[in-house]
Amino acid sequence: MTTLTQDIQDKLKRLNAFEKIIGVNVVIYIIGFILTKVKNTTNVLHWFELPVSLNDFIYQPWSIFTYGFVHYGFWHIALNMLILYFISNMLVNLFSVKLSLNIYFLGILFGGLAFVLIHTLFSGSLVNYTLPLVGASAGVRALIIFLSAYMPNKEARLVTINIKLWYIGVAMVVIDILGLFTINQGGYVAHLGGSLLGYLYAQQLTKGNDIGKGFERIMDSIASMFKRKSPLKTVHKSKKKPFAGHNKDDFNEFTKQKRIDLILDKISKSGYESLTKEEKAFLFKSGKD
């Protein structure tokens, strides 16, 4: 039993950030499924759902993020997590994990805000949805549209054919716009909110602006509050020789990032297949760091 427990712990440690997110989603789905059967009622996780009303949202502001971890339907979570698995693997091989997480969580944030604000501004005229919002679709949409906008000519394999990412992005946006005229109007509003974030993030990143840095600092500050502080130790560090005003580690990190930016710029202009084997290997290794 001890060996089995250790193996499980080792495997959990090797999971990347998105695989852990998928795991959390699955666990919450199972909990919701069990509670639904036990209580014989729906929306058992209502404290984590995003309310339609702005007034209700004020009393549970945490739901602007937690709704992205709640799924009630099997196919809803299965499709979301399957797409998230493949698209996140593609992203972390090309970009840093933190940047990819910024896009995902900001997509959930934008999708939730669009859901609440559109209902608040247009309820009774253009908008008629009344059910709370659940699901990770807005974050997933943000990742897909980001890739489609940042490297539109990169091709993805769909069954037996290759298709450019910008075709996929346009198709998803069109589907979501048509979805505004269905009974799941609120869900498609959230999809479009996530898509807008993904597009804006890509456009700004091509100009050298990472609009998720502020959000990243906030998340890092929150995470640091929950980290255990180790006992104070006296550590004698050898001084590092400066490289143009920076230490060696800073200089190496700066050089590495510049090379990544050049490769990504090449992908956006000529497609992923234009990269050399060395460039592909460098991107892959950078995504794992």
Side-chain angles (χ1 to χ4, degrees):
M1 183 62 71
T2 304
T3 304
L4 178 60
T5 303
Q6 186 62 44
D7 288 343
I8 294 174
Q9 291 177 345
D10 290 340
K11 289 180 180 179
L12 289 176
K13 289 179 181 178
R14 288 196 292 269
L15 295 177
N16 65 39
F18 281 100
E19 289 169 340
K20 291 177 182 177
I21 289 173
I22 292 171
V24 172
N25 274 272
V26 171
V27 170
I28 293 176
Y29 168 75
I30 293 172
I31 292 173
F33 178 81
I34 293 173
L35 291 177
T36 299
K37 296 299 181 182
V38 171
K39 294 189 175 184
N40 195 27
T41 183
T42 57
N43 70 316
V44 291
L45 301 174
H46 63 276
W47 281 108
F48 301 100
E49 302 168 357
L50 182 62
V52 173
S53 166
L54 180 60
N55 292 330
D56 292 336
F57 167 65
I58 291 173
Y59 289 101
Q60 53 183 92
W62 58 84
S63 62
I64 197 69
F65 287 111
T66 58
Y67 85 87
F69 292 88
V70 179
H71 299 81
Y72 290 122
F74 172 77
W75 288 112
H76 189 200
I77 187 172
L79 290 175
N80 270 344
M81 295 304 102
L82 187 64
I83 296 173
L84 178 58
Y85 177 78
F86 286 109
I87 199 72
S88 64
N89 276 338
M90 187 182 298
L91 263 164
V92 297
N93 282 333
L94 298 172
F95 305 91
S96 70
V97 173
K98 281 194 173 183
L99 184 142
S100 303
L101 289 173
N102 288 344
I103 300 167
Y104 178 71
F105 283 115
L106 283 173
I108 288 177
L109 175 64
F110 263 59
L113 289 175
F115 176 81
V116 174
L117 293 178
I118 293 297
H119 182 273
T120 301
L121 295 174
F122 301 105
S123 180
S125 54
L126 300 175
V127 171
N128 56 18
Y129 54 87
T130 57
L131 296 177
L133 181 65
V134 296
S137 302
V140 174
R141 283 295 197 281
L143 295 176
I144 295 173
I145 299 303
F146 168 81
L147 269 182
S148 301
Y150 193 83
M151 44 188 70
N153 293 319
K154 178 175 172 55
E155 294 184 341
R157 186 77 171 177
L158 293 180
V159 191
T160 59
I161 61 172
N162 292 333
I163 184 169
K164 290 185 178 180
L165 286 178
W166 78 269
Y167 290 152
I168 297 175
V170 170
M172 300 200 84
V173 171
V174 170
I175 290 171
D176 288 338
I177 291 175
L178 294 176
L180 296 176
F181 303 96
T182 67
I183 58 174
N184 188 28
Q185 186 183 49
Y188 287 106
V189 167
H191 290 182
L192 290 170
S195 295
L196 176 61
L197 180 279
Y199 178 78
L200 292 176
Y201 208 121
Q203 290 300 304
Q204 288 300 309
L205 197 62
T206 58
K207 299 176 183 177
N209 303 320
D210 185 348
I211 62 176
K213 278 298 181 184
F215 175 79
E216 181 182 317
R217 285 192 289 269
I218 293 173
M219 291 298 100
D220 285 344
S221 298
I222 294 174
S224 65
M225 295 169 59
F226 296 93
K227 289 181 178 179
R228 293 181 179 178
K229 292 185 178 180
S230 57
L232 293 175
K233 297 179 181 178
T234 302
V235 180
H236 300 282
K237 295 182 179 179
S238 59
K239 292 184 179 180
K240 297 178 180 179
K241 295 180 179 180
F243 281 70
H246 299 278
N247 63 43
K248 186 175 181 180
D249 289 341
D250 290 340
F251 183 80
N252 289 340
E253 184 63 27
F254 176 77
T255 304
K256 175 183 174 182
Q257 188 58 51
K258 292 300 293 183
R259 186 178 179 188
I260 291 174
D261 291 342
L262 290 172
I263 293 175
L264 292 177
D265 185 58
K266 183 177 179 180
I267 292 174
S268 66
K269 292 178 179 178
S270 308
Y272 182 75
E273 297 305 321
S274 65
L275 300 183
T276 64
K277 289 184 178 180
E278 182 185 359
E279 289 170 333
K280 290 179 181 178
F282 177 77
L283 268 184
F284 181 80
K285 184 177 182 299
S286 300
K288 294 293 184 183
D289 292 341

